[in-house]
Amino acid sequence: MKFIDLYPVDERLELGTVHFSAESIIRYAEKFDPQPFHLDPDAAKNSVFDGLCASGWQTSASWMKCFLNYWSKEVKRLSTQGIEPPKLGPSPGFRNLKWLRPVYAGDDVTYFATLTASRPLASRPGTFMNTTLNEGINQNGDMVVTFESSVLEFE
């Protein structure tokens, strides 16, 4: 079954929520984005952010973690119902990544994906290009990250 048949255009899927603890922010920053406002609560207080905050890359990677967890559960659910799950991946990329607000230690971010388009590829019969709008919203209802992505789907 095709993705668009299961999840129509403009239907927003809630993927999951990630809690950003100070420990997880620092652990990620030590490995991937070692800037003072991600590593040191005292230094972060004296930065433009006024407090320890997650790397934008961490907020984006957390969307992917939630999507993969969500999709794994969906594949099992669909299979149990006798529905062949869509075959997704890989992705040719993303556009318009925006980190709109800092994600501070203690924040919870809920992630979403909305299919915005699906089209067959003329160059590869049986292959579709799906485009999604992806979002992360904190516990206060503030959008913290948004981006558009594409993913291939195979019949």
Side-chain angles (χ1 to χ4, degrees):
M1 182 165 282
K2 291 192 324 193
F3 194 86
I4 195 169
D5 296 329
L6 294 168
Y7 314 98
V9 169
D10 294 332
E11 181 178 315
R12 191 182 205 202
L13 303 176
E14 184 172 326
L15 305 177
T17 301
V18 172
H19 177 74
F20 287 81
S21 67
E23 295 79 18
S24 70
I25 289 170
I26 293 168
R27 188 172 47 251
Y28 185 93
E30 286 173 340
K31 292 181 181 178
F32 304 110
D33 194 355
Q35 298 184 70
F37 40 82
H38 302 318
L39 289 169
D40 180 350
D42 291 327
K45 287 178 189 172
N46 297 317
S47 75
V48 67
F49 297 114
D50 295 322
L52 187 70
C53 63
S55 166
W57 296 113
Q58 183 180 10
T59 64
S60 301
S62 294
W63 177 90
M64 191 66 190
K65 179 180 178 181
C66 283
F67 177 79
L68 291 174
N69 188 29
Y70 175 88
W71 189 244
S72 175
K73 290 175 185 174
E74 277 294 276
V75 166
K76 288 177 186 170
R77 181 186 70 81
L78 293 168
S79 296
T80 299
Q81 294 178 356
I83 300 169
E84 185 176 340
K87 296 176 187 91
L88 300 179
S91 170
F94 65 92
R95 298 173 300 285
N96 299 322
L97 173 62
K98 296 177 186 171
W99 297 312
L100 302 169
R101 291 182 180 272
V103 173
Y104 291 101
D107 281 355
D108 295 307
V109 177
T110 301
Y111 292 97
F112 300 88
T114 305
L115 182 67
T116 58
S118 181
R119 65 177 175 82
L121 294 181
S123 62
R124 291 184 178 246
T127 304
F128 298 83
M129 180 66 71
N130 295 331
T131 304
T132 58
L133 172 64
N134 307 294
E135 302 164 306
I137 298 175
N138 71 15
Q139 71 279 357
N140 300 317
D142 298 320
M143 186 83 60
V144 297
V145 62
T146 183
F147 63 98
E148 300 166 29
S149 64
S150 299
V151 65
L152 295 173
E153 177 181 353
F154 304 93
E155 284 189 315

